Amino acid sequence: MPVTVRQILSLASLKEARLLAGAKGLDRRVTSVTVGEVPDIADWLSGGEMVLSTMFAVKGDLERQREFCRRVMMADAAALFVKTTRFVESIPADIIELADKRRFPIVEVPQGLRWTRLMQDATELIINRQASLLEQSQSIHRSLLGIVIRGGGWQQLADEAARLLGGPLLIIDTSHEILAASTDLSVSPAELRDRLNRAETRRRLAGMGGGQKHFRVEEEGLPAMFVLPIVASHVKLGYVCVFSAASDLTANEVLILEHTATIAALEMAQDRVRFETEVRLKGDFVDDLISGAEHGADSLLRRGAFLGCDLSQGAAVILLGVDEFDGLVSRKGLDQEELDRRVELLFSLCSRLVSSSEASSLVSLKSGRIVIFVCGKSAHDPATLRRLTTALQNLGEAAGGLSISAGIGGFTPEASQMDRAYSEALVALKVGRKLHGPASVLPFDEVGTYRLLLDIWERDPDEIRSLYEETIGPIDRYDEVNGTQLTRTLAVFLRNNENLTKTAAELYAHRHTIRYRLEKVAEISGLSVFETEHKERLGLGLKARSLLMS
């Protein structure tokens, strides 16, 4: 605890001192002692000083005495100790009233008390208290640092900090992901996570957590808590939260909170190194897997096993594309640094989800996309892969509201053929986005001839336009002029495997009407659905149309 005016007044040398004003301010913190015998002493104060003065510099001038006292108060001094009767008869009544209002102690000391003695006694008290605080601070720091040195993680750090505080504690990052919660919380971490992620709470923490001082948070549904930002190199990394019903923290609690935030920043720096190392190692391995270069199967299997990935029984690839990162949707005001941070968070969330469902799989971050080599039983089951992909997509919301598109490759049995698995997922991602836009999901087995058309489109879009104009373009223009549905009829007919009855039922038309429309298609385009080669060209034309319309 810091030294207060109340403790200064308990000194033996001040037993005859008299408190003139500011009785409600006796708990003001005293940081140092200074003698103020010049009229502009307030200009040299930095706050917390115990000012000693005979007011010699303003003797005989009541207005200057008032100004002297007012300025010392405004400079946030701890208290004013004065000797009256020799140079000033008394402190003006309006100054006494102002001091009471501002809870600023003014103390009258005996004429016979030497300033040197009072300064020595007060300074000794302050230094002893500072030495005690320093020793206490070092003890707290050693205790918390020991957790890191011994290889402890977030949970051990939170539990030790809670033990020192004597109350529950929570550590979260800037995305409000709970890194650790002490075991004595009155609510479950899951409940806390939901409440912390409310938009109002997020705005409150973001708005008030810009500095390096603790602040109080009282939100509906949340226990009252004090929050201290975790800051390194002027960058906010997260928050340490201590739950307390008190109106403010004690100096000792603030000390523990500050040391916890310092150690947390160190742990976050270590996490960052681990993260970057993991991304690099996995990225290098994935680059070799998908490069198509000659790499021995045994070497790939060994490297995969080192990273926790078992490719010995084959794998399927899921490729996640962040639509904001690839420019498919608006970034909603996010700068590149914040977008990168959210993509990294998505990567971490995906890693946890995949690890919990198929522990032998591998998740890698590559150029803003997340590559997942799914191993184990899930890799063989298209339905399971689809469900896993949907779950991964949903993590975009938890990562800051990101829109996620996905391509799913087919199962590949050999580690040396993983370049094919990745290529399939990449094609499925591209085709899905082209046909269905952002947040699409497409398995490779649904890509079909779109794969060839997309390849042509990326090399020469005019080829696709020519294919469309030679097949479906004239039919579209006829529909537009005459209000008919020839193109739709053709698409439904081919989708129903050329079954007139099913097509008629879907379009609520007679079979003869459907046949008439198909004959009209042949008349306009010169291509008949009843001739194999013509039918294939019309099918490709419809797909070219989908690419162009998207």
Side-chain angles (χ1 to χ4, degrees):
M1 290 286 291
V3 173
T4 64
V5 176
R6 187 187 307 277
Q7 291 166 329
I8 293 291
L9 288 175
S10 68
L11 292 170
S13 54
L14 287 174
K15 63 182 180 180
E16 297 180 10
R18 188 164 66 97
L19 181 66
L20 302 179
K24 293 182 179 180
L26 293 182
D27 290 325
R28 292 171 72 95
R29 181 177 178 179
V30 179
T31 58
S32 60
V33 186
T34 187
V35 175
E37 298 294 14
V38 291
D40 62 346
I41 184 62
D43 294 338
W44 306 97
L45 302 179
S46 56
E49 293 91 350
M50 168 182 165
V51 179
L52 315 181
S53 180
T54 62
M55 300 183 74
F56 170 77
V58 292
K59 67 177 182 177
D61 190 330
L62 198 58
E63 189 54 44
R64 290 181 70 198
Q65 292 170 20
R66 289 191 178 95
E67 181 64 15
F68 177 88
C69 294
R70 274 195 294 265
R71 292 190 64 196
V72 168
M73 289 185 216
M74 296 301 291
D76 201 28
L80 176 62
F81 287 70
V82 296
K83 290 182 180 180
T84 57
T85 70
R86 183 176 182 185
F87 298 114
V88 294
E89 292 184 6
S90 62
I91 302 297
D94 56 335
I95 291 299
I96 298 294
E97 183 180 348
L98 178 62
D100 279 329
K101 185 177 180 180
R102 294 184 60 86
R103 299 184 177 186
F104 179 81
I106 297 179
V107 181
E108 183 183 61
V109 300
Q111 284 290 331
L113 176 62
R114 297 185 178 212
W115 284 149
T116 51
R117 181 186 173 188
L118 180 54
M119 290 180 70
Q120 180 179 347
D121 291 350
T123 301
E124 184 177 337
L125 179 62
I126 292 169
I127 290 174
N128 287 342
R129 184 56 54 88
Q130 288 175 341
S132 174
L133 284 174
L134 179 61
E135 183 179 350
Q136 195 174 15
S137 175
Q138 289 174 336
S139 174
I140 293 168
H141 186 72
R142 283 195 300 269
S143 179
L144 294 172
L145 185 60
I147 298 294
V148 178
I149 293 173
R150 292 191 297 272
W154 287 111
Q155 188 58 53
Q156 290 82 356
L157 176 61
D159 286 338
E160 179 63 14
R163 184 190 69 79
L164 293 169
L165 283 164
L169 177 133
L170 182 73
I171 304 174
I172 60 177
D173 62 19
T174 50
S175 63
H176 293 198
E177 180 72 17
I178 295 177
L179 301 176
S182 60
T183 52
D184 53 352
L185 285 178
S186 59
V187 293
S188 71
E191 287 181 88
L192 271 177
R193 185 180 294 109
D194 291 341
R195 296 172 188 178
L196 286 168
N197 278 313
R198 291 182 304 194
E200 184 179 345
T201 306
R202 296 179 73 91
R203 282 195 299 270
R204 177 89 188 275
L205 286 184
M208 296 187 69
Q212 289 179 263
K213 293 184 178 180
H214 70 276
F215 56 91
R216 186 171 177 79
V217 173
E218 293 183 74
E219 294 284 342
E220 185 180 352
L222 276 174
M225 60 183 177
F226 291 94
V227 180
L228 179 69
I230 301 168
V231 178
S233 301
H234 306 291
V235 177
K236 186 167 58 182
L237 304 175
Y239 305 94
V240 180
C241 312
V242 55
F243 299 100
S244 172
S247 59
D248 200 358
L249 296 176
T250 66
N252 187 56
E253 288 170 334
V254 171
L255 202 58
I256 295 168
L257 204 58
E258 289 174 345
H259 280 295
T260 303
T262 300
I263 300 300
L266 175 62
E267 187 67 18
M268 285 179 170
Q270 291 182 329
D271 280 352
R272 184 67 196 179
V273 171
R274 285 192 287 265
F275 173 82
E276 291 177 351
T277 302
E278 177 187 0
V279 169
R280 179 176 55 78
L281 289 175
K282 288 184 175 179
D284 291 346
F285 177 60
V286 168
D287 284 343
D288 287 343
L289 270 181
I290 67 177
S291 66
E294 288 295 327
H295 293 285
D298 289 343
S299 172
L300 292 175
L301 291 175
R302 282 196 302 273
R303 290 176 64 191
F306 174 77
L307 296 170
C309 176
D310 182 9
L311 295 171
S312 62
Q313 303 302 315
V317 174
I318 298 173
L319 184 60
L320 303 180
V322 179
D323 297 326
E324 289 87 351
F325 193 92
D326 294 332
L328 272 74
V329 297
S330 167
R331 290 191 175 188
K332 306 163 194 168
L334 298 177
D335 58 27
Q336 189 61 48
E337 182 179 351
E338 175 62 18
L339 182 57
D340 288 343
R341 190 191 66 77
R342 295 190 185 190
V343 171
E344 289 177 2
L345 174 59
L346 176 65
F347 166 72
S348 298
L349 295 174
C350 290
S351 296
R352 292 177 200 169
L353 176 62
V354 172
S355 177
S356 65
S357 57
E358 282 292 354
S360 61
S361 300
L362 181 138
V363 183
S364 177
L365 184 59
K366 179 177 172 62
S367 303
R369 291 176 178 169
I370 295 172
V371 187
I372 303 155
F373 288 85
V374 182
C375 305
K377 294 180 180 179
S378 298
H380 298 264
D381 185 3
T384 302
L385 284 173
R386 186 67 178 251
R387 286 194 297 271
L388 176 59
T389 302
T390 300
L392 291 165
Q393 271 190 305
N394 292 338
L395 294 175
E397 187 61 34
L402 298 177
S403 172
I404 310 298
S405 296
I408 309 171
F411 175 75
T412 303
E414 300 291 336
S416 58
Q417 297 174 348
M418 287 302 153
D419 58 320
R420 188 188 76 194
Y422 176 81
S423 296
E424 289 180 355
L426 179 59
V427 168
L429 174 65
K430 289 181 176 180
V431 171
R433 280 174 159 176
K434 195 64 181 169
L435 295 180
H436 309 301
S440 60
V441 180
L442 188 68
F444 181 75
D445 59 13
E446 295 179 17
V447 170
T449 52
Y450 277 112
R451 179 182 186 180
L452 300 174
L453 293 175
L454 182 66
D455 185 54
I456 296 170
W457 169 267
E458 290 180 340
R459 286 186 288 105
D460 188 358
D462 287 340
E463 284 290 327
I464 299 299
R465 294 189 184 95
S466 296
L467 174 60
Y468 167 73
E469 288 298 335
E470 292 168 4
T471 53
I472 306 301
I475 305 170
D476 272 343
R477 286 190 286 274
Y478 182 90
D479 280 343
E480 187 176 352
V481 171
N482 296 281
T484 53
Q485 298 184 45
L486 299 184
T487 300
R488 185 181 176 213
T489 300
L490 173 63
V492 173
F493 178 72
L494 294 177
R495 190 175 69 241
N496 285 321
N497 297 316
E498 305 161 55
N499 188 307
L500 284 172
T501 302
K502 286 185 178 180
T503 303
E506 185 173 334
L507 295 175
Y508 302 101
H510 196 276
R511 290 176 74 255
H512 294 312
T513 302
I514 299 302
R515 179 174 287 276
Y516 168 77
R517 291 178 183 175
L518 295 174
E519 290 172 351
K520 195 68 178 176
V521 166
E523 178 186 325
I524 295 168
S525 65
L527 300 169
S528 172
V529 294
F530 303 109
E531 294 185 27
T532 302
E533 187 175 340
H534 288 187
K535 178 180 66 179
E536 290 175 354
R537 290 195 65 197
L538 286 168
L540 288 172
L542 285 171
K543 291 180 177 179
R545 179 180 186 269
S546 295
L547 289 175
L548 291 169
M549 295 301 176
S550 65

